[in-house]
Amino acid sequence: MAQDERQPRGTLQVRTIAMPADTNPSGDIFGGWVLSQMDIAGGTAAAQHAKGRVATVGVEAMTFHKPVKVGDILCCYASFEKQGTTSLTYKIEAWAIRSGEYHLDEVLVTEGQFTFVALDGNGRKRKLENS
Ligand SMILES: CC(C)(COP(=O)(O)OP(=O)(O)OC[C@H]1O[C@@H](n2cnc3c(N)ncnc32)[C@H](O)[C@@H]1OP(=O)(O)O)[C@@H](O)C(=O)NCCC(=O)NCCS
């Protein structure tokens, strides 16, 4: 399916606005900022699922499809993919509502797969329920 025909997949976990402080030297939004918002989106979904603290252990298959611009509203969606003994993997999609184009559809800007490990109070990996 063409990217433009897709709809966001998963639960909306983060909705925020891209600010001038988040730009790279070219004036577009820094990819690391987008990645951090996606990490927060996956981390909050995983923490709820794990009923406790989690840490990001792996990020795979990151694709930056389109730039994010100052003033865009960035929406990060998390969809559960799999559970292991201590880990949870989510597909995260970042979509942008372009500044001043609130009547138009969101645009897929970035996607990737994020894996989180459940931790105990001492920062050691913890077995998940039902694993
Ligand atoms: C999370 C941490 C405690 C795991 O400890 P560990 O002894 O290395 O754990 P393991 O190698 O057994 O891996 C634990 C789980 O993560 C999975 N995993 C490890 N590396 C992975 C990777 N790169 N991608 C996907 N999954 C990964 C393993 O398959 C395992 O899953 P399972 O238990 O569901 O089968 C440790 O790696 C750590 O503290 N990492 C730093 C986390 C952090 O600071 N994150 C923020 C970065 S800014």
Side-chain angles (χ1 to χ4, degrees):
M1 190 187 298
Q3 258 178 52
D4 292 346
E5 294 167 19
R6 282 176 59 177
Q7 293 294 315
R9 195 162 61 104
T11 308
L12 180 64
Q13 295 288 140
V14 166
R15 185 179 158 99
T16 188
I17 190 154
M19 301 292 277
D22 306 315
T23 52
N24 63 28
S26 309
D28 286 336
I29 294 299
F30 179 49
W33 179 81
V34 177
L35 197 149
S36 72
Q37 300 307 313
M38 295 169 75
D39 190 28
I40 292 167
T44 51
Q48 265 191 302
H49 187 138
K51 301 188 182 76
R53 184 178 160 194
V54 297
T56 312
V57 74
V59 180
E60 286 182 84
M62 284 294 295
T63 306
F64 292 88
H65 295 291
K66 294 193 171 135
V68 178
K69 309 275 187 186
V70 171
D72 288 355
I73 298 170
L74 189 79
C75 304
C76 298
Y77 297 84
S79 50
F80 174 77
E81 291 219 317
K82 63 180 181 197
Q83 174 175 337
T85 307
T86 66
S87 69
L88 292 162
T89 300
Y90 286 82
K91 173 77 183 295
I92 310 295
E93 295 181 358
W95 291 71
I97 300 169
R98 298 301 189 191
S99 179
E101 296 183 354
Y102 307 122
H103 56 296
L104 298 180
D105 287 341
E106 298 172 48
V107 176
L108 177 64
V109 289
T110 308
E111 58 188 321
Q113 193 184 52
F114 288 65
T115 300
F116 303 88
V117 172
L119 301 179
D120 65 18
N122 296 313
R124 284 191 295 262
K125 65 187 173 189
R126 168 173 64 84
K127 201 170 166 194
L128 290 160
E129 288 172 20
N130 306 321
S131 64

